[in-house]
Structures are given as C-alpha cells and as structure tokens.
Amino acid sequence: IIPLGIAWLVSVPRFRIRVPVVGASLAGREACNFLVWLELALRHTPSLPQAIRQAAGAGCIPPCQAELQAMAANLESGATFAQAVKRLSLFPPLARWLLEQAERAEFRPGSLSLASQALLRHGQNRTRVTMAFVEPVITMVLGSMLFLVFLVLFFPMLKMAADV
C-alpha cells in the first residue's frame, strides 16, 4: 500500500514537481514549454501579461500555471518584469535568467525559442552527467547483490564438500 501511495503522489503534478531529481527536470521542461508558448503568444498579443496567461494556459502543468498567473497579475499591478520573474520559484534559475535576458532584448523574434533551446540543452547535459555517475553505481550494486546470492547458494555446498 505504501509504494502505491508514493506512486500516486509522484504522479500528481504539484507533488511531482517538488520531488528532488525528477522535479528539477520537470521544471526545466515546463520552463522550455513556457518560453516557446510565450514567444508564440507575443506574436499575436501586444500585452505581456495577457501573453503570459495564454502561454501558461497552453503548455504548463497546474503548479506552473498558478505561478505564471501570479506573475501576470504582478505585472498588471505595476511590478517590473525583473521583479515578477524573481518570484518564479518553480522555474530553475537559468530559466529566470534567460527570461530576464529576453526582456532586455525586448523579446526580439526568436530570442525566447533560443532561450528555450539553451535551457533544454542544459537539462539534457545535466541528465547525461547524472546518468554517467548513476550507471556505474547501479552496476556495482547489482554485481554485489549477485555475489551475495552466489554466496548464499553455493556456500553451503562448498562447506559440505570441505567436510567430506
């Protein structure tokens, strides 16, 4: 029952995004999706808060949508874009920095998709580095488990052969 409960919690987006390793990867992907959708929304919507709402609704999971809706509300209430971006707690720091750089470039066409690609490459590199460390550890753990099984199965036989 406990593993099923844990599996259910991890399947719910608001909990899954807070899981240490999986959540960071998911947050990076959500930021990539948001950047792409924001660029598309800015092409058709002159208002930045409205474009943020449209982008959040188009391609983000509920926890990110809530943060982005709050960001749009902060912009409408008079906060600067830099202040609103700093309040995005679910997005990785690189995504917040890329958003600030895109704003400095006045959201030139293509700047957000380039930022999304950079963020995606960063996430892929992080995953690759993590897997380069984890794979040998898993191999060593499985090897030691097989060795223990070997000892459990064959030690009594070897002991009987030595007694004869």
Side-chain angles (χ1 to χ4, degrees), residues 48-49 52 70-85 87:
L48 182 60
I52 290 173
M71 177 183 171
N74 287 338
L75 287 172
E76 288 174 338
S77 68
T80 65
F81 187 78
Q83 291 170 339
V85 167
R87 293 182 183 155

Side-chain angles (χ1 to χ4, degrees), residues 24-25 28-29 32 92-95 98 114-130:
S25 175
R29 276 193 319 221
C32 288
L94 180 60
L98 288 169
L114 287 175
S116 173
Q117 290 170 3
L119 187 60
L120 186 62
R121 278 192 309 273
H122 173 71
Q124 289 171 344
N125 287 340
R126 230 176 59 209
T127 302
R128 196 174 300 123
V129 166
T130 303

Side-chain angles (χ1 to χ4, degrees), residues 27-135:
R29 276 193 319 221
E30 287 298 313
C32 288
N33 290 340
F34 171 70
L35 290 172
V36 171
W37 282 106
L38 181 60
E39 181 164 0
L40 291 172
L42 283 173
R43 289 182 188 166
H44 303 289
T45 307
S47 166
L48 182 60
Q50 187 178 0
I52 290 173
R53 282 194 176 92
Q54 287 177 352
C60 292
I61 60 174
C64 291
Q65 282 180 357
E67 268 200 5
L68 293 168
Q69 298 290 349
M71 177 183 171
N74 287 338
L75 287 172
E76 288 174 338
S77 68
T80 65
F81 187 78
Q83 291 170 339
V85 167
K86 287 180 184 173
R87 293 182 183 155
L88 292 175
S89 64
L90 292 180
F91 281 10
L94 180 60
R96 294 192 299 263
W97 182 80
L98 288 169
L99 272 169
E100 290 174 6
Q101 298 307 311
E103 190 227 359
R104 286 190 186 130
E106 297 176 356
F107 298 106
R108 282 191 211 117
S111 63
L112 289 172
S113 62
L114 287 175
S116 173
Q117 290 170 3
L119 187 60
L120 186 62
R121 278 192 309 273
H122 173 71
Q124 289 171 344
N125 287 340
R126 230 176 59 209
T127 302
R128 196 174 300 123
V129 166
T130 303
M131 289 310 294
F133 172 74
V134 170
E135 285 175 353

